[in-house]
Amino acid sequence: MSSNSFDARGELVVDGEPYEIYRLDKVPGSARLPYSLKVLLENLLRNEDGHLVTAEQVRAVGDWDPGAEASKEIQYTPARVLMQDFTGVPCVVDLVAMRDAMSGLGGDPTKINPLIPGELVIDHSVIADVFNRPDAITKNSEFEFKRNQERYQLLRWAQQSFADFLVVPPDTGICHQVNLEYLSRVVFTRKHDGVTQAYPDTLVGTDSHTPMVNGLGVLGWGVGGIEAEAAMLGQPMSMLVPQVVGFKLTGELPEGTTATDLVLTVAELLRKTRVVGKFVDFFGPGVANVPLANRATLGNMSPEYGSTCAIFPIDGETLSYMRLTGRTEHQINLVEAYAKEQGIWHDPDHTPDYSQIVELDLSTVESSIAGPKRPQDRIPLRSATRAVRGLLAGESQEVAVMAGGLDDAGDESFPASDPVAISSRIARDAPPHVYEDDGSPDSLDWPSDPARIVLDGQQLTLDHGDIVIAAITSCTNTSNPSVMIGAGLLAKKAVGLGLDRKPWVKTTLAPGSRVVTDYYNRAGLTPYLDKLGFSLVGYGCTTCIGNSGPLIPAVSEGVNGNDLTVAAVLSGNRNFEGRIHPEVKMNFLASPPLVIAYALAGSMHVDLLKDPLGTSTDGRPVYLKDIWPTTAEIKEVVDASLEAQMFTDGYADVYHGDENWRGMDVPEGDMFAWSEESTYVRKPPYFDGMQREPAPVTDIVGARVLAMLGDSVTTDHISPAGNIKKSTPAGQYLLEHGVAQVDFNSYGSRRGNHNVMIRGTFANIRLRNLLVPGVEGGFTKRSADGPVETIFDASTAYLAAGTPLVVIAGTDYGSGSSRDWAAKGTMLLGVKAVIAASFERIHRSNLIGMGVLPLQFKDGDTAESLGLTGMETYSVVGLAGANPLPREVTVRIESDGTSREIATTLRIDTPAEEAYYVHGGILQYVLRQLLDS
């Protein structure tokens, strides 16, 4: 029960039903707050207990200074936690292990139980093994279930053993799209002490694209799995009251542009604005003109521009979408009444206080793609061919794109663009060669090494810049009927003119919910998509997370035989190096219609705005403009094909699952039966040797450098992801445990086995460890003249010798997806501290949550400026006996008999984070709190 210091408790009656609410207007200053901070303010009012959540925290939000840096700490309690299976399985494994540890320390294991609802959607495990055939989804589903049965048994056990824990079975949809279309309440209701409370629906998710639901007015963002576990166990989340950037939308999108073009433009703009760690609130008269699906697309990609969330307010469009997606009329009435009563209904004439205002005229948006390795690197479609050839020729991203006509694309991009040097002929660290040319793509000296391949009896050639994957995938776009119908209509027109995909392109369709299939079928578009090879391969993330499956065999041979730099085009949100497919070096994000257009073209060398895509049945060249559907055409089909009953029917049995799911043999009981034979699910070592009281914090003495890394190292570089190769430590482990190579599956599917995951940490094929210059992948050295070895093998040797380890890095360390294994694997490899120029928010928090110390170089200092080689010995001193921990920490560096000291900032930013570190990690902290409760 809230302390109610502000006398905010009140009542709201909707359709004759009373609800307890906490009135925002009782807090001075609340009316001027942005929408997102009003939601945080209500959260504090309702959860105020005088201990964890105090009246001072409520005032900190009410008195929010837009111009101040984020500094005041609050304790945020989300209404629920959303998980996907890649990140959700480790959460469940940890909770199960916590039950074992609780029992071992003499406590009640059933205390380890979600105290707020946990919702897990199995969406990350389907792989596009089979494509371009009618039974592709059936075959891929069979493979998925065979590979993942042990994981699915664990999740089924958790569903029946944990209270308030729901699991959406495989082949249903992507978690963010299911969240948008079904799970989200917008206004949450819950019984508390016999009274039904109504309050804003809020959540944290174990996937960085959780902010997709911000489009619905639901405040949520991605966190690491360890933070999510603590939230499920009733621990408020410590956070600093953020700065809020107001984003004002005006005008309308030009004909021919899509929501994808809009979000790529916004991602580029907000990266340049520098919104990392901030909230973004959309506001103004243009908000009403933005369809909800477009709002969700903008929210989805907030991690790509760095903000914590990117939220739209509740308005009439919110209610219309709720009605379309089959929410009850009472729930819709409750949302409207609550929003208006609390002053969180959008008023287009009111401008709240913001830390900064950014404005975009929608009429300036143009057709775009983004890549080849970062989502914020937007390339106008008109410049794409020139940019790609420039990249192949060895130009940097900035030079290649600017030469193509984008005036200042990368001048202030954040993180700073480094040379891509895509061509294997160009030394990766060499400065780009500036070519004298007349501006035409053909004048560039890009490499050509054509591979001759045979497909379906045809003699074909494959060269640098050709497209080998075209995938309509990811919640980002498959949740948006306008771009999906647009793709279907483009396919229909292309087929009508006799066009077909190029035979070397692997084409897949993986929507985020079954509703997409329903409206494609109703609109009669499925046959045309099938004809072009875009047959349904599954309901899941697939290509966007690296589950693209194998390339066409002959294509794979050609790519590897000639070391070709080939491309993937996908309608997703992520395209980091090595993510989409290990044999594909260039990855471009594009709208679903453009994905199909590029599949028809077959090469990034084709200028879609100038060159023909193919030849019609009557011998005429066919251009993109000939098959691009108009906005009116798309709207007509959407209006005729989409209705609420589709969502109601589609989600009527959402938790039911197929026969495979329902027929699993799942043991009962409060304790999970671990199997020593399992290569998917193993008991983690986090609680081994744990005592009731934490050991004293000590200095880190005599540490060696495991890896020295540059700028913009993402969690995709750190965390195990994608396919497992036979030659890697993880592959060797699986072979030793009797797993055939064909059954290796992906790292993501084996996240429940720490033995696999630590062998894949820092093992990304594109990782560049400066201790082994010129070598890519998970390799290192223990001495200057020592042999090159895998990072895992070096870690094993260091651990055996009792030597602690550190990682040294540049700016924006840990950007990208909210991967808990990037922190877990780091800790299990023996790393005690990471010293970086700057950290990404979630990864820094996750490191602390696993007991790894984040230290930040002082402004202006870098490993290079300090002359560090990584072969020194490092000691972090001043920690032992300190209470509280110091904000500045000395690092002693010893080499060749000399010693020097540098000052670093300890990036433990809040008292709660300090408590986690002192206890050895967030899981140990929570366990000790529950043990004594």
Side-chain angles (χ1 to χ4, degrees):
M1 181 64 70
S2 171
S3 300
N4 199 28
S5 300
F6 295 83
D7 190 30
R9 190 179 297 125
E11 184 178 79
L12 174 69
V13 179
V14 179
D15 297 337
E17 294 189 32
Y19 296 94
E20 180 182 271
I21 66 171
Y22 283 81
R23 300 184 58 89
L24 297 177
D25 57 11
K26 293 291 186 177
V27 180
S30 63
R32 67 184 178 87
L33 294 178
Y35 176 87
S36 57
L37 292 191
K38 287 182 177 180
V39 175
L40 284 184
L41 180 62
E42 189 282 336
N43 196 282
L44 297 173
L45 279 174
R46 179 169 34 87
N47 291 292
E48 182 202 356
D49 60 3
H51 173 55
L52 290 173
V53 181
T54 63
E56 182 182 1
Q57 293 176 35
V58 175
R59 281 189 286 271
V61 178
D63 298 339
W64 176 68
D65 178 0
E69 292 291 327
S71 60
K72 295 184 178 180
E73 183 190 9
I74 60 173
Q75 300 292 324
Y76 164 66
T77 308
R80 57 194 174 94
V81 173
L82 177 72
M83 293 171 280
Q84 36 94 331
D85 56 308
F86 269 21
T87 49
V89 165
C91 284
V92 174
V93 166
D94 291 351
L95 292 177
V96 174
M98 287 179 77
R99 281 196 170 183
D100 290 351
M102 177 69 84
S103 178
L105 291 171
D108 179 3
T110 60
K111 282 186 176 180
I112 308 298
N113 201 64
L115 297 179
I116 65 171
E119 299 161 337
L120 186 148
V121 181
I122 300 175
D123 63 356
H124 272 53
S125 297
V126 62
I127 299 174
D129 290 290
V130 177
F131 78 105
N132 191 25
R133 46 189 269 192
D135 63 347
I137 183 172
T138 303
K139 291 296 183 183
N140 290 330
S141 179
E142 290 173 358
F143 289 144
E144 175 190 2
F145 207 89
K146 179 182 176 183
R147 290 169 175 144
N148 298 288
Q149 186 153 351
E150 293 176 35
R151 301 168 65 239
Y152 293 171
Q153 283 177 322
L154 172 73
L155 296 178
R156 276 289 310 276
W157 176 87
Q159 186 177 32
Q160 71 184 26
S161 299
F162 290 125
D164 248 344
F165 186 76
L166 297 172
V167 177
V168 176
D171 301 317
T172 304
I174 301 175
C175 65
H176 308 304
Q177 193 161 337
V178 174
N179 191 25
L180 186 77
E181 296 175 354
Y182 178 74
L183 294 174
S184 291
R185 290 74 152 173
V186 187
V187 171
F188 206 88
T189 58
R190 194 166 175 87
K191 285 277 189 183
H192 187 77
D193 292 338
V195 176
T196 301
Q197 292 184 336
Y199 47 93
D201 186 7
T202 57
L203 72 149
V204 291
T206 61
D207 189 279
S208 57
H209 294 102
T210 299
M212 177 167 169
V213 80
N214 294 169
L216 200 57
V218 175
L219 182 62
W221 59 84
V223 298
I226 44 186
E227 291 178 287
E229 293 164 39
M232 279 196 294
L233 292 167
Q235 297 295 307
M237 296 181 56
S238 176
M239 62 178 290
L240 302 177
V241 182
Q243 289 191 329
V244 182
V245 174
F247 198 112
K248 187 174 183 179
L249 293 172
T250 61
E252 295 183 10
L253 287 174
E255 179 67 36
T257 58
T258 68
T260 313
D261 303 317
L262 170 61
V263 76
L264 295 179
T265 302
V266 169
E268 178 194 40
L269 174 60
L270 288 179
R271 270 291 180 184
K272 294 167 72 173
T273 303
R274 297 179 181 263
V275 295
V276 172
K278 301 175 184 179
F279 284 10
V280 172
D281 276 35
F282 292 92
F283 77 102
V287 164
N289 299 326
V290 182
L292 200 129
N294 291 15
R295 300 180 185 188
T297 304
L298 287 165
N300 179 286
M301 285 189 69
S302 64
E304 277 63 57
Y305 40 86
S307 68
T308 303
C309 64
I311 197 164
F312 281 82
I314 298 171
D315 63 0
E317 175 65 13
T318 314
L319 304 186
S320 297
Y321 184 82
M322 292 182 72
R323 193 165 283 113
L324 170 66
T325 49
R327 269 72 167 201
T328 67
E329 279 303 312
H330 176 73
Q331 184 66 23
I332 295 168
N333 293 340
L334 172 62
V335 168
E336 181 175 9
Y338 183 89
K340 290 180 175 177
E341 185 74 13
Q342 290 282 56
I344 56 174
W345 183 268
H346 183 232
D347 179 357
D349 298 322
H350 171 64
T351 300
D353 288 350
Y354 291 112
S355 305
Q356 180 183 2
I357 291 179
V358 178
E359 188 167 343
L360 175 66
D361 181 352
L362 297 179
S363 67
T364 63
V365 173
E366 61 178 316
S367 294
S368 303
I369 61 174
K373 69 171 186 173
R374 300 191 313 174
Q376 68 264 31
D377 291 334
R378 184 180 69 88
I379 304 173
L381 190 60
R382 58 181 165 81
S383 307
T385 301
R386 170 59 180 80
V388 168
R389 293 187 178 182
L391 291 168
L392 287 172
E395 293 179 347
S396 70
Q397 181 88 19
E398 292 90 341
V399 171
V401 176
M402 290 169 64
L406 185 62
D407 295 336
D408 55 356
D411 286 356
E412 298 180 36
S413 66
F414 177 77
S417 295
D418 54 2
V420 178
I422 285 293
S423 173
S424 58
R425 289 180 168 188
I426 308 297
R428 279 189 171 268
D429 295 312
H433 178 68
V434 180
Y435 290 84
E436 297 293 333
D437 66 79
D438 60 8
S440 67
D442 291 327
S443 61
L444 272 173
D445 183 22
W446 60 276
S448 177
D449 296 300
R452 301 193 181 280
I453 62 174
V454 178
L455 286 174
D456 299 327
Q458 287 182 279
Q459 292 277 349
L460 302 168
T461 59
L462 197 67
D463 207 343
H464 297 287
D466 284 346
I467 296 164
V468 296
I469 292 175
I472 299 176
T473 181
S474 171
C475 50
T476 309
N477 285 294
T478 66
S479 62
N480 193 321
S482 65
V483 293
M484 295 299 282
I485 290 292
L489 289 173
L490 185 142
K492 181 178 180 179
K493 292 185 177 187
V495 170
L497 290 171
L499 301 188
D500 202 353
R501 61 176 260 277
K502 293 298 185 286
W504 55 82
V505 184
K506 179 173 183 176
T507 44
T508 56
L509 168 65
S513 85
R514 292 177 176 271
V515 175
V516 176
T517 304
D518 292 340
Y519 64 65
Y520 267 160
N521 289 339
R522 174 173 287 193
L525 297 175
T526 301
Y528 303 105
L529 291 161
D530 288 343
K531 179 67 172 64
L532 296 183
F534 287 91
S535 299
L536 182 67
V537 297
Y539 298 97
C541 300
T542 61
T543 305
C544 199
I545 58 163
N547 285 359
S548 50
L551 299 182
I552 298 168
V555 172
S556 177
E557 291 175 12
V559 169
N560 290 305
N562 285 37
D563 192 22
L564 296 181
T565 296
V566 290
V569 183
L570 64 149
S571 66
N573 46 41
R574 285 284 159 90
N575 56 345
F576 298 131
E577 295 180 271
R579 178 184 180 96
I580 304 306
H581 193 284
E583 298 171 13
V584 181
K585 296 177 184 176
M586 306 177 83
N587 303 292
F588 295 96
L589 307 181
S591 66
L594 283 181
V595 169
I596 295 180
Y598 271 117
L600 299 174
S603 175
M604 297 301 300
H605 294 296
V606 175
D607 187 333
L608 296 189
L609 299 183
K610 297 178 180 178
D611 301 332
L613 300 178
T615 305
S616 67
T617 49
D618 60 3
R620 291 182 297 107
V622 178
Y623 296 88
L624 183 62
K625 62 183 175 61
D626 299 328
I627 59 174
W628 192 268
T630 66
T631 301
E633 288 174 322
I634 294 171
K635 185 178 186 304
E636 181 181 359
V637 176
V638 170
D639 291 345
S641 306
L642 201 60
E643 62 179 26
Q645 194 63 40
M646 287 181 173
F647 293 90
T648 304
D649 293 344
Y651 287 108
D653 59 352
V654 67
Y655 302 111
H656 194 57
D658 61 14
E659 292 180 4
N660 288 323
W661 178 257
R662 296 192 304 274
M664 279 191 297
D665 181 23
V666 181
E668 298 182 356
D670 296 329
M671 310 285 279
F672 184 71
W674 302 100
S675 169
E676 290 299 317
E677 305 301 317
S678 177
T679 56
Y680 277 98
V681 177
R682 298 296 289 269
K683 183 179 178 180
Y686 311 131
F687 306 105
D688 290 355
M690 179 180 167
Q691 304 297 314
R692 293 184 73 98
E693 296 296 327
V697 174
T698 61
D699 291 342
I700 301 169
V701 179
R704 299 295 308 281
V705 177
L706 183 64
M708 178 177 280
L709 308 169
D711 295 340
S712 300
V713 171
T714 72
T715 49
D716 278 327
H717 289 107
I718 306 166
S719 181
N723 297 321
I724 301 173
K725 288 190 174 181
K726 180 180 179 180
S727 59
T728 63
Q732 292 300 304
Y733 168 87
L734 292 173
L735 289 173
E736 290 166 8
H737 285 75
V739 180
Q741 186 176 2
V742 69
D743 296 321
F744 276 7
N745 212 335
S746 64
Y747 279 111
S749 66
R750 292 188 183 272
R751 283 187 176 206
N753 184 348
H754 61 279
N755 295 307
V756 172
M757 298 303 283
I758 58 174
R759 286 166 168 80
T761 304
F762 292 112
N764 185 288
I765 59 172
R766 300 285 176 240
L767 183 77
R768 280 188 267 173
N769 182 1
L770 302 180
L771 297 184
V772 283
V775 177
E776 286 194 330
F779 300 97
T780 193
K781 279 185 176 184
R782 283 182 280 154
S783 63
D785 55 357
V788 175
E789 58 188 327
T790 68
I791 282 177
F792 174 75
D793 287 342
S795 162
T796 301
Y798 281 128
L799 286 171
T803 304
L805 298 172
V806 296
V807 168
I808 297 176
T811 57
D812 308 306
Y813 181 73
S815 58
S817 301
S818 55
R819 295 186 180 277
D820 57 335
W821 262 109
K824 288 179 175 178
T826 298
M827 183 274 289
L828 290 175
L829 286 173
V831 175
K832 301 299 182 183
V834 175
I835 311 172
S838 63
F839 291 89
E840 192 275 340
R841 173 185 64 88
I842 296 176
H843 187 59
R844 181 195 62 81
S845 175
N846 283 351
L847 287 171
I848 297 167
M850 293 310 299
V852 178
L853 203 65
L855 299 176
Q856 189 162 311
F857 288 119
K858 291 296 185 179
D859 286 348
D861 284 352
T862 65
E864 184 178 15
S865 71
L866 293 168
L868 304 181
T869 66
M871 291 301 165
E872 308 91 346
T873 299
Y874 291 74
S875 295
V876 181
V877 297
L879 301 175
N883 185 18
L885 294 176
R887 300 276 71 82
E888 190 170 287
V889 174
T890 297
V891 177
R892 183 179 301 130
I893 306 168
E894 298 171 285
S895 177
D896 298 328
T898 64
S899 178
R900 58 177 169 144
E901 294 183 346
I902 63 170
T904 64
T905 301
L906 176 57
R907 287 300 314 278
I908 293 180
D909 293 349
T910 69
E913 288 180 345
E914 180 165 330
Y916 298 154
Y917 181 76
V918 167
H919 279 262
I922 193 171
L923 300 180
Q924 292 86 342
Y925 171 81
V926 171
L927 181 57
R928 289 187 176 110
Q929 303 306 302
L930 293 173
L931 183 63
D932 297 327
S933 65

